[in-house]
């Protein structure tokens, strides 16, 4: 559904933003940002549909790209995060993964400069707030925890909403605590 809407937009309005690639060899590129745009344009090309960019109709098989070179891993991850953060149709899973990715980026940057990761600064960046409330900070910490759980826990990953995922995770943690308490009682 979202892909069809993107194809319709590209067909009617043209491509507004080129994909971002990194040149990794002669005539070899790695996609860094714009996967949905690329898939939409490929699908359109399969049906012989053309599109425009900068008010020019492009030949089938061509897509405008911003070409980057010699990027560090940190720069690659920053580009990917910026692309995902700009999307408005993120699922809750994508949103918490984006929060976790930004946390990892800021942690790497802090380590490279001899600094320390700061959850308050991260929360300010995500919320756009000059002042951070304890609730906002807890929310960001919860999103990071959920992103970690998604990677290992299919039940959490399959939850329909972030709230459902938090309930599942809390119930699993509670069950684990009960099991550990029962084991401790048997050992005494």
């Amino acid at each position: 559904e979202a892909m069809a809407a993107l194809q319709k937009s590209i067909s009617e309005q043209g491509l507004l933003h080129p994909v971002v690639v990194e040149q990794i060899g002669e005539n070899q590129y790695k996609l860094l940002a714009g996967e949905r745009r690329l898939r939409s344009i490929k699908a359109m090309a399969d049906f012989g549909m053309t599109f425009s960019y900068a008010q020019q109709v492009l030949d089938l098989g061509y897509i405008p790209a911003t070409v980057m070179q010699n990027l560090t891993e940190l720069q690659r991850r920053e580009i990917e995060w910026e692309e995902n953060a700009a999307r408005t149709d993120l699922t809750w899973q994508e949103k918490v993964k984006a929060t976790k990715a930004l946390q990892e980026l800021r942690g790497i940057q802090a380590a490279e400069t001899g600094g320390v990761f700061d959850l308050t600064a991260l929360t300010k960046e995500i919320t756009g707030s000059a002042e951070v409330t304890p609730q906002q900070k807890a929310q960001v910490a919860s999103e990071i925890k959920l992103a970690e759980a998604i990677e290992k826990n299919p039940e959490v990953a399959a939850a329909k909403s972030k709230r459902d995922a938090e309930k599942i995770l809390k119930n699993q943690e509670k069950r684990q605590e009960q099991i550990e308490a029962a084991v401790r009682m048997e050992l005494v």
Side-chain angles (χ1 to χ4, degrees):
E1 186 176 301
M3 196 62 69
L6 181 56
Q7 289 172 6
K8 183 176 188 236
S9 172
I10 292 171
S11 175
E12 293 174 359
Q13 306 299 322
L15 182 68
L16 302 177
H17 303 285
V19 298
V20 179
V21 297
E22 180 179 18
Q23 187 167 10
I24 57 173
E26 191 172 324
N27 295 320
Q28 293 181 317
Y29 302 91
K30 177 181 178 184
L31 182 68
L32 299 176
E35 183 210 354
R36 293 176 55 234
R37 282 170 281 174
L38 181 62
R39 285 191 293 141
S40 292
I41 289 170
K42 282 182 176 180
M44 290 169 62
D46 289 345
F47 291 104
M49 297 172 62
T50 59
F51 67 96
S52 64
Y53 175 72
Q55 299 179 340
Q56 293 184 350
V57 176
L58 301 180
D59 292 334
L60 288 176
Y62 287 91
I63 182 167
T66 300
V67 179
M68 311 293 278
Q69 295 179 339
N70 304 317
L71 297 173
T72 65
E73 182 60 27
L74 186 61
Q75 290 170 320
R76 284 183 203 97
R77 291 173 73 175
E78 185 86 32
I79 289 168
E80 181 181 333
W81 183 85
E82 289 287 339
E83 174 78 5
N84 285 329
R87 285 181 46 203
T88 57
D89 63 341
L90 293 175
T91 64
W92 75 264
Q93 293 93 334
E94 291 168 328
K95 184 178 184 318
V96 300
K97 285 179 182 179
T99 298
K100 173 81 172 124
L102 183 60
Q103 179 248 343
E104 290 171 353
L105 282 170
R106 297 304 176 245
I108 293 168
Q109 288 172 329
E112 287 180 351
T113 61
V116 178
F117 171 73
D118 181 2
L119 183 60
T120 301
L122 178 68
T123 304
K124 285 180 181 180
E125 184 174 355
I126 290 170
T127 63
S129 301
E131 297 296 320
V132 173
T133 66
Q135 294 85 358
Q136 289 172 319
K137 200 170 176 178
Q139 185 64 34
V140 170
S142 173
E143 288 184 2
I144 292 167
K145 185 177 181 179
L146 282 173
E148 291 167 351
I150 285 172
E151 295 171 8
K152 305 177 237 174
N153 191 324
E155 189 178 356
V156 173
K160 292 188 188 292
S161 70
K162 188 167 75 169
R163 186 179 193 133
D164 289 347
E166 289 169 335
K167 287 179 186 176
I168 291 166
L169 192 56
K170 188 173 184 174
N171 286 337
Q172 289 176 347
E173 289 171 349
K174 190 174 182 179
R175 280 193 302 268
Q176 185 61 35
E177 288 171 7
Q178 291 169 342
I179 291 168
E180 289 172 7
V183 169
R184 279 192 304 270
M185 285 183 194
E186 287 180 14
L187 293 176
V188 175

